[in-house]
Amino acid sequence: MSDAVQVAPQCLQGRVAMGVGGRKAMAIPQHLRDFWNAFASATGQADEERFYEAFHFGDSEELARELAALVLQGTKRATTGSVWSFEAEGKPAPRVGDLSIVTHWSGEPLCVIKTLAVEMVPLSEVTAEFAAIEGEGDGSLAFWQQAHRDYFIRECAQAGRPFSEHMLVACECFEVVYQPPAGV
């Protein structure tokens, strides 16, 4: 994969995606090392230089469980994060080719996802196509807008930041590249 700007098929409708390269790799958390090694053994594609983060979706256990289930079912193939939250955490936004471990709220690993495309846009400009790829609720833009507005209002309030419909968000498309067999 080159460091050039890339476009991911069927994601972001052919819009430009941010390329890979030019940043320091994140450390794989020790408690997830066995999971990462199982991923490496099963797929042969576990380049540690591409590890981005281990995380759960959402800001509550219920939401984390619901969104993780959608990812594992193949319904949810995208996510959105505020650009300022990446900056506040001192980490770069995700990039094409990144590998992340999705966890339960408790931190137990569920799967590994690979970033296919990332586009920074104002919250108010997220498209119906992207909302459908994100796969939440009924898949409509109206549902997406309300759910994400509510989420970002909470996130901004917790950080003492004003909410704005024009704040930049990172629209990230991904694919599940590893899910351990049931019972493992």
Side-chain angles (χ1 to χ4, degrees):
M1 184 175 296
S2 85
D3 288 350
V5 173
Q6 300 185 18
V7 176
Q10 302 175 8
C11 184
L12 301 176
Q13 297 298 305
R15 296 160 89 170
V16 175
M18 294 172 51
V20 297
R23 72 168 184 217
K24 184 179 174 185
M26 306 287 190
I28 299 166
Q30 192 59 41
H31 74 283
L32 297 173
R33 178 56 65 181
D34 288 345
F35 186 82
W36 185 265
N37 291 341
F39 161 56
S41 178
T43 67
Q45 60 175 311
D47 177 359
E48 289 191 27
E49 294 295 313
R50 293 172 44 205
F51 178 74
Y52 178 64
E53 69 177 335
F55 74 102
H56 59 76
F57 288 101
D59 59 353
S60 70
E61 185 172 359
E62 179 182 351
L63 185 56
R65 184 175 34 256
E66 175 186 323
L67 298 179
L70 291 173
V71 168
L72 296 176
Q73 294 165 8
T75 304
K76 180 174 178 61
R77 298 171 291 127
T79 192
T80 307
S82 62
V83 171
W84 68 260
S85 69
F86 298 120
E87 294 165 354
E89 293 175 24
K91 70 179 183 183
R95 298 184 110 181
V96 172
D98 282 348
L99 297 169
S100 297
I101 299 173
V102 176
T103 69
H104 283 291
W105 181 259
S106 64
E108 178 186 346
L110 294 170
C111 66
V112 176
I113 60 172
K114 178 180 173 181
T115 301
L116 300 176
V118 181
E119 182 180 23
M120 309 300 185
V121 298
L123 179 65
S124 60
E125 294 181 21
V126 172
T127 65
E129 292 82 11
F130 183 81
I133 294 168
E134 196 155 336
E136 298 175 22
D138 64 6
S140 71
L141 180 59
F143 179 92
W144 187 96
Q145 288 171 328
Q146 187 60 55
H148 285 76
R149 185 177 298 114
D150 292 348
Y151 174 83
F152 289 125
I153 287 171
R154 291 190 308 270
E155 182 182 60
C156 287
Q158 288 175 348
R161 296 183 61 102
F163 169 78
S164 169
E165 294 282 343
H166 304 291
M167 64 189 241
L168 282 180
V169 294
C171 295
E172 175 187 4
C173 295
F174 59 81
E175 66 179 340
V176 174
V177 292
Y178 175 71
Q179 183 178 348
V184 174

